[in-house]
Amino acid sequence: MRSTRYAELGAFLRARRERIRPAEAGLPVGPRRRVAGLRREEVAHLAGASVDYYNELERGAGSQPSEQMLAALARALRLNADEREHLFHLADRPVPRDGGPASHIHPGMLDLLDRLGATPAQIITDLHVTLVQNRLAVALFGDQRRFRGLEASLVYRWFTDPATRAIHPDEDHEAHSRTFAAGLRVAVGRRDARDPEATSLVSALLNRSAEFERLWQEHTIAVRQDERKRIVHPQLGVLDVNCLNLLSENGRQRLLWFTPVPGTDAADLLELLAVIGAHEFSDTPGK
């Protein structure tokens, strides 16, 4: 990448970092804070990058950031759609298609996610690719953002990797399979018929899973608004939760958050989950 363009990238990151207030990024405001905006180490933490690497980016040095890193920086800095597109241009990367793992998330949806600190919450695409999770969601489900390719979709993993199903009791698996297939029908129907992400996902599932093929041929559709789930956690056991949804305007993304079902011990277990923390459960259940 040209040095001039790289210097512009660093200056742009620095300017946007300095305008973001800690509260806007879900960070506490300490009494001895010397800067109004975010610190470099805070941006690095929010984007999942090393502090040294982020410092190099702001200095206009280092290697060209990947698509995933640019998407993470855009989310950490709460960039709007125009600013995010500009960031990708400065890094000499093509702007990703909407709907994939590097999709733009509206800053307002990220702000709402930050305000749900007391309950597990995450933002996913219509193909069930996880874009961002809060700390409690990672503690409950494991880090779902580490998957790449077809495996980034929970639907794909559900029908091709038996270990993925350990997150729900065995007797619930059939219902979840039907829900996944019906929801995917809706998502594919809303997308362009030539959308490569959707068509490749369906094609791979039809080739890999007889169960999916059977359900797909039923042509059942369903758009979930709210749903009760039983989540199996390796340390805490079964949690009865309500899964609530907030859809984006175009239906491509949804904010999910999980609240305890009244009359169960889920509220106490979620409080314990907050104490255990994500470091106790960094992998997907069943792996």
Side-chain angles (χ1 to χ4, degrees):
M1 187 157 48
R2 297 187 301 273
S3 59
T4 301
R5 178 63 63 87
Y6 220 22
E8 292 178 3
L9 173 65
F12 182 68
L13 289 173
R14 183 167 56 255
R16 291 302 173 268
R17 173 176 61 80
E18 292 174 348
R19 78 169 185 183
I20 297 294
R21 300 298 182 264
E24 296 173 325
L27 297 174
V29 181
R32 299 182 179 180
R33 195 173 189 90
R34 297 180 180 179
V35 295
L38 297 183
R39 303 184 182 97
R40 292 183 181 87
E41 57 268 25
E42 290 172 332
V43 176
H45 171 73
L46 291 171
S50 70
V51 177
D52 289 341
Y53 178 71
Y54 181 76
N55 286 339
E56 287 184 345
L57 286 180
E58 280 206 5
R59 289 198 301 266
S63 58
Q64 182 186 27
S66 66
E67 177 185 275
Q68 291 79 13
M69 178 53 61
L70 291 170
L73 288 170
R75 294 163 189 166
L77 296 171
R78 298 300 194 267
L79 302 187
N80 61 34
D82 291 337
E83 293 168 336
R84 174 179 174 273
E85 183 174 335
H86 183 61
L87 178 68
F88 275 85
H89 287 322
L90 290 179
D92 280 340
R93 294 284 188 187
V95 179
R97 291 172 56 94
D98 188 27
S103 295
H104 173 65
I105 303 175
H106 192 284
M109 188 172 281
L110 285 170
D111 179 63
L112 182 55
L113 177 72
D114 289 336
R115 295 176 186 274
L116 295 172
T119 187
Q122 55 193 22
I123 298 173
I124 67 172
T125 72
D126 55 342
L127 302 184
H128 287 264
V129 174
T130 301
L131 301 177
V132 62
Q133 298 173 280
N134 68 7
R135 185 179 65 87
L136 281 180
V138 175
L140 183 58
F141 300 110
D143 186 356
Q144 303 292 294
R145 299 162 296 178
R146 60 190 177 89
F147 298 100
R148 296 291 180 266
L150 290 171
E151 289 189 347
S153 168
L154 176 59
V155 178
Y156 181 81
R157 300 196 307 275
W158 179 264
F159 286 104
T160 61
D161 180 10
T164 299
R165 300 193 176 201
I167 199 171
H168 298 296
D170 292 347
E171 57 269 28
D172 296 352
H173 289 179
E174 174 66 18
H176 284 293
S177 294
R178 289 186 173 278
T179 299
F180 278 133
L184 185 58
R185 268 283 181 194
V186 175
V188 171
R190 287 176 172 174
R191 291 192 177 210
D192 188 287
R194 296 168 294 181
D195 183 280
E197 187 184 16
T199 55
S200 62
L201 175 59
V202 173
S203 177
L205 284 171
L206 289 173
N207 289 329
R208 291 285 308 277
S209 172
E211 179 191 21
F212 176 80
E213 182 180 15
R214 172 176 58 83
L215 295 173
W216 191 250
Q217 296 308 322
E218 293 181 2
H219 290 266
T220 303
I221 63 168
V223 179
R224 292 177 296 169
Q225 298 301 321
D226 56 82
E227 187 177 33
R228 180 169 173 172
K229 293 178 180 289
R230 294 194 296 169
I231 307 297
V232 180
H233 187 276
Q235 281 80 44
L236 302 180
V238 179
L239 290 81
D240 291 274
V241 297
N242 291 312
C243 177
L244 305 172
N245 295 257
L246 175 64
L247 296 177
S248 62
E249 291 183 359
N250 62 5
R252 289 287 188 92
Q253 296 176 9
R254 67 177 66 188
L255 170 62
L256 304 177
W257 70 99
F258 304 85
T259 62
V261 172
T264 72
D265 60 354
D268 293 335
L269 292 177
L270 286 176
E271 289 185 5
L272 183 57
L273 181 70
V275 175
I276 293 175
H279 66 280
E280 292 287 341
F281 187 50
S282 59
D283 293 326
T284 302
K287 291 189 77 68

